[in-house]
Amino acid sequence: MTEPTTALQEQVSALGPFFTFETHAAGSELVSPWRRLSEVARVESGVLEERVAAVRATLAAGGGRPAEAVELRVAASVAHLGLVARVVSPLLGLAALRGLPSRPPTLDDLRWHSGLGGAFALSLPRETIAAVATDDAVATDDAGAGAAGALLEGPVRDLVEAVAAFSVSRHILWGNVASAVNGATAGIVSAAPALARPARSAALLMLRHPQLRDAHTLDPRNGRFRRRSCCLIYRAAPDAAGAVCGDCVLVRR
């Protein structure tokens, strides 16, 4: 690993737990406990089903109830939000520092090992980081919009389609994506205020993409973000009376 690549990895990872990542050589042999993230999107693997079940049990335990008391689609939506936030965050961190990768990694390129209760371990192809570190990245212009589109139409869409099979509407799932983009941006601004402008510019490239354009609103007066859907987590509480997230469409203005 070259020094610029190491430095960039450390800078992104310093932004917070959801930005932290390790690296591997593209196409290299898997070494336990690492697995390809693409297995989440393959129905036959059963990995997503297991993760949703685990999230369901955790949500239910928080209210002192059996897992069956939480709707499956609620657990699936919450699991999806965590997955997509983990994928988007380090790439937005790279974008804030150097620009969006011109060729974002696919789910098959990404590696992970599972964990609940926080950010799971994630590994990105070393070549992706090296390309960004050596200026093979795109700025916030038309080329940047193309790179943002490739990310959203590639690994992000794959996760959306996989979770949609759990009877979660795509309107909710794309709202989760918009929320993840906004959340990652807020995390960058909080950890490194000097990166606020490039982080917000990169986020706008994603939020203006057709898939996310109707999934949120941005107040032109103060830039406040609000999604146009709900991740459904409030329904995990007894009597579906849980709190909603700060960016939720259900929050009273």
Side-chain angles (χ1 to χ4, degrees), residues 170-196:
R170 288 172 178 80
H171 179 60
I172 287 174
L173 296 173
W174 284 110
N176 286 350
V177 175
S179 183
V181 170
N182 180 68
T185 306
I188 295 170
V189 173
S190 176
L195 296 177

Side-chain angles (χ1 to χ4, degrees), residues 6-19:
T6 303
L8 186 54
Q9 178 188 357
E10 292 175 349
Q11 286 177 290
V12 175
S13 295
L15 295 172
F18 271 78
F19 298 88

Side-chain angles (χ1 to χ4, degrees), residues 156-165 170 173-174:
V156 172
R157 179 182 287 279
D158 289 342
L159 290 174
V160 166
E161 293 304 315
V163 179
R170 288 172 178 80
L173 296 173
W174 284 110

Side-chain angles (χ1 to χ4, degrees), residues 8 90-92 94-95 98-106 109 124-125 127-155 205-206:
L8 186 54
L91 293 171
L92 261 175
L94 287 172
R98 297 298 297 267
L100 284 166
S102 57
R103 293 176 296 279
T106 66
D109 296 327
L124 275 63
E127 292 77 2
T128 297
I129 313 307
V132 175
T134 55
D135 295 326
D136 185 16
V138 293
T140 52
D141 52 17
D142 289 345
L151 173 61
L152 294 173
E153 296 293 347
L205 288 175
M206 297 186 189

Side-chain angles (χ1 to χ4, degrees), residues 36-41 87 105-111 154-156 158-159:
R36 288 187 176 85
L37 193 54
S38 56
E39 67 181 0
V40 174
V87 170
T106 66
L107 287 186
D108 206 42
D109 296 327
L110 297 171
R111 297 182 182 181
V156 172
D158 289 342
L159 290 174

Side-chain angles (χ1 to χ4, degrees), residues 28-120:
S28 60
E29 185 177 348
L30 287 171
V31 177
S32 180
W34 292 103
R35 304 149 75 179
R36 288 187 176 85
L37 193 54
S38 56
E39 67 181 0
V40 174
R42 294 199 304 268
V43 176
E44 68 277 9
S45 74
V47 172
L48 183 56
E49 185 176 0
E50 291 174 6
R51 188 166 184 85
V52 170
V55 170
R56 190 183 195 187
T58 299
L59 291 172
R65 300 187 296 161
E68 296 74 21
V70 174
E71 297 165 83
L72 186 62
R73 70 188 185 107
V74 172
S77 175
V78 174
H80 172 259
L81 182 53
L83 286 165
V84 77
R86 191 65 176 103
V87 170
V88 165
S89 294
L91 293 171
L92 261 175
L94 287 172
L97 285 160
R98 297 298 297 267
L100 284 166
S102 57
R103 293 176 296 279
T106 66
L107 287 186
D108 206 42
D109 296 327
L110 297 171
R111 297 182 182 181
W112 75 318
H113 54 87
S114 184
L116 293 172
F120 55 79

